[in-house]
Amino acid sequence: MLLVVILALLLIGNWFFTETLIFTPVNLAIHFTSLGWWVLALLLIAFVAWCISDD
């Protein structure tokens, strides 16, 4: 019985640390990278609009 409890705790701990230390930062990095490309595109559009309106 103690072996089953230890194995269950190890599996839960493994899942928790994998989720918090690997998947969460990777998902945040993907989200911010995607957001960064959108911001870059909007800045580029704003710059082109500013150049066109300056003429």
Side-chain angles (χ1 to χ4, degrees):
M1 180 66 184
L2 183 61
L3 182 64
V4 174
V5 171
I6 291 172
L7 286 175
L9 289 175
L10 285 173
L11 285 173
I12 291 170
N14 187 23
W15 168 81
F16 177 74
F17 285 119
T18 302
E19 187 70 30
T20 56
L21 296 177
I22 295 173
F23 290 122
T24 303
V26 168
N27 289 337
L28 286 175
I30 290 171
H31 178 70
F32 284 133
T33 311
S34 168
L35 185 64
W37 283 111
W38 281 107
V39 170
L40 185 64
L42 288 175
L43 287 174
L44 182 65
I45 290 170
F47 178 72
V48 169
W50 177 71
C51 289
I52 291 172
S53 69
D54 200 28
D55 286 342

